[in-house]
Amino acid sequence: MKTSTNSLPLALSAKSAFTFSLTVSAILALSLAMSACGDAKKDSSASAASGASAASGAAAADPLDVTIKADMAANFKVAKVAREPIAMVQEVSGRIEANERQVTRIGAGVTGRVTQVLAEVGDRVRPGQVLAHVASPELATAQLSYLRAHASTQLAERAVERARQLIQADVIGSAELQRRESELSIARAELRAAGDQLTLVGIPRDAIAKLRDSGSLSPHALVVATQAGVVVERKVSQGQVAQPGDPLFTVADLGNVWVVGALPEQAARNARIGQQIEISVPAIGKQLSGRVIQIADTVSPETRTVPLRTQVDNAAHELKPQMLATMRIAGTPVESLAVPTVAVVRDNDRDHVFVQTSPTRFRLTPVELGAASEGRRPVLKGLAEGTPIVVEGAFHLNNERKRAELE
């Protein structure tokens, strides 16, 4: 009995201890769970803050945006994109050519062997200047024909003179005088024809006069320049046999030249005879102005273009045949969105403008523009009417953008 009475308090004490142990364990587990939940919330908040910070940094680092200081705003002029009457400009490639109306191809008047060449490509010649000598059997025949015609003319003149004396003495009738005068007219015509023939084969007038007076034959026919200009081609060498149809020299007057090009068939309507055209010649670094003198009436089937020709003064002879050129042809003005040429920034082989997004912030915006005309470029794509853009200082603003990007 005693033993059982003492064991009860011990059993109760063990049960209480076990219950207390369970309670402490639950409290510890709950604390750990709450702590883990708090840490997770902190980590989530930190991650969100880190993400927001990264997004903000990315926005600030946009290479197309540039922010300026308020005191620099006066250095840049902003205006809204508006519609203006502007002529679309078509640029075509061209080349310089000699004016064919002032080009002469010179050959020999007889068949013969070239004995001397007196002119080279690039030489400037004057009318009547001797370019080459040609020896020919035909030349001797032509000179003898002239001498016979000259002798016949002299004989006919003396016959007419005698007939006039005889008719005064009433020895012959007027019919005989008329017959002899007719023979004289024929003889003079034959003499003129023989002289013209000598001129055509290259005998100068003074040599013909010497032939008539002294009867001495000229050993050579002369190839002479028929106009002033520059020898642009020579197709003869000493010892070569020349034929009357062979062009031995080409002489061109380069005081004015042609600039020829080809317009796409869709743009051909923009050109008209007499229209002023701007011409750029990179070889001499000059901008020239010419007038359209010819527009082809047909389209080239291979290139689908319309040939075009302009004429340009070349008094200084700076323009050389076959130089390359660029022709700029303005069409009829039409209403179109336009921006000043100075507002355009060239970057990565594309045209851009700076669009104002706030009083001190600008964004480099890619655009598609047409060719410039009178300091304006038509907008094809990328801008809407009323968009504020930088129209003065765009170059310096782009430098600021690049500097900020490097920093």
Side-chain angles (χ1 to χ4, degrees):
M1 226 31 215
K2 195 170 184 181
T3 302
S4 59
T5 305
N6 291 334
S7 62
L8 182 59
L10 289 173
L12 291 173
S13 177
K15 185 177 182 179
S16 299
F18 178 72
T19 302
F20 177 75
S21 176
L22 289 175
T23 303
V24 171
S25 298
I27 292 172
L28 289 174
L30 180 61
S31 298
L32 289 172
M34 293 178 65
S35 175
C37 184
D39 290 342
K41 289 182 178 180
K42 288 180 180 179
D43 291 343
S44 177
S45 299
S47 297
S50 177
S53 176
S56 176
D62 190 338
L64 298 180
D65 284 338
V66 58
T67 302
I68 61 174
K69 297 179 181 179
D71 58 351
M72 294 178 61
N75 297 332
F76 307 102
K77 182 179 178 181
V78 176
K80 293 182 178 180
V81 179
R83 290 187 173 274
E84 302 179 25
I86 188 168
M88 298 296 288
V89 176
Q90 179 74 39
E91 287 192 358
V92 297
S93 299
R95 67 183 182 278
I96 308 298
E97 289 188 357
N99 184 342
E100 285 292 337
R101 296 191 179 99
Q102 296 179 344
V103 173
T104 302
R105 289 167 179 83
I106 303 169
V110 293
T111 300
R113 189 173 300 277
V114 177
T115 59
Q116 194 173 9
V117 178
L118 303 175
E120 300 294 338
V121 173
D123 289 352
R124 298 197 179 193
V125 297
R126 63 186 184 279
Q129 181 174 334
V130 179
L131 306 180
H133 290 166
V134 178
S136 170
E138 295 178 12
L139 179 61
T141 302
Q143 292 181 90
L144 289 174
S145 297
Y146 179 81
L147 288 176
R148 281 193 292 267
H150 178 60
S152 297
T153 302
Q154 288 182 321
L155 181 61
E157 288 175 347
R158 288 195 294 268
V160 169
E161 183 62 29
R162 284 196 301 271
R164 287 173 179 169
Q165 293 173 357
L166 292 173
I167 202 171
Q168 288 178 356
D170 199 19
V171 175
I172 61 174
S174 59
E176 180 64 20
L177 175 61
Q178 292 174 358
R179 184 183 66 78
R180 294 185 184 186
E181 286 178 342
S182 177
E183 290 176 350
L184 175 59
S185 297
I186 294 173
R188 285 174 174 172
E190 290 176 347
L191 179 62
R192 286 194 299 270
D196 292 341
Q197 182 64 30
L198 288 179
T199 302
L200 289 175
V201 300
I203 301 298
R205 293 290 181 182
D206 56 348
I208 295 174
K210 184 178 179 181
L211 172 67
R212 183 179 61 247
D213 296 337
S214 65
S216 59
L217 302 183
S218 176
H220 298 98
L222 305 179
V223 179
V224 299
T226 56
Q227 72 165 42
V230 178
V231 178
V232 296
E233 189 175 27
R234 191 198 82 176
K235 291 185 175 180
V236 63
S237 300
Q238 188 169 333
Q240 175 181 335
V241 175
Q243 300 289 339
D246 296 340
L248 306 182
F249 297 91
T250 301
V251 176
D253 182 357
L254 300 178
N256 61 70
V257 294
W258 286 348
V259 184
V260 298
L263 279 172
E265 57 182 333
Q266 299 88 348
R269 64 179 183 273
N270 293 333
R272 60 187 182 277
I273 300 296
Q275 179 180 0
Q276 197 86 4
I277 289 185
E278 295 180 7
I279 300 169
S280 173
V281 184
I284 62 174
K286 285 187 177 182
Q287 300 289 331
L288 307 174
S289 179
R291 292 191 177 277
V292 177
I293 61 172
Q294 193 265 344
I295 302 172
D297 294 325
T298 58
V299 175
S300 173
E302 292 82 10
T303 60
R304 309 306 307 172
T305 56
V306 178
L308 176 81
R309 184 165 69 230
T310 67
Q311 186 167 305
V312 179
D313 290 334
N314 188 34
H317 287 237
E318 293 180 311
L319 300 175
K320 315 294 183 185
Q322 301 310 315
M323 277 185 175
L324 298 180
T326 300
M327 307 167 69
R328 303 176 69 251
I329 305 168
T332 304
V334 295
E335 287 285 333
S336 172
L337 291 178
V339 298
T341 304
V342 294
V344 181
V345 175
R346 192 73 178 169
D347 192 73
N348 292 329
D349 293 329
R350 289 196 63 184
D351 291 326
H352 298 75
V353 296
F354 278 101
V355 175
Q356 188 181 42
T357 57
S358 72
T360 58
R361 190 165 183 169
F362 304 88
R363 183 172 181 80
L364 187 66
T365 304
V367 292
E368 292 184 15
L369 306 174
S373 175
E374 297 180 352
R376 316 290 291 178
R377 294 188 65 181
V379 178
L380 306 179
K381 188 177 180 182
L383 288 176
E385 187 173 1
T387 303
I389 65 169
V390 175
V391 295
E392 288 184 12
F395 176 79
H396 299 294
L397 187 59
N398 194 45
N399 288 340
E400 286 292 320
R401 180 187 68 84
K402 291 180 178 179
R403 185 183 59 79
E405 185 178 353
L406 293 175
E407 293 176 354

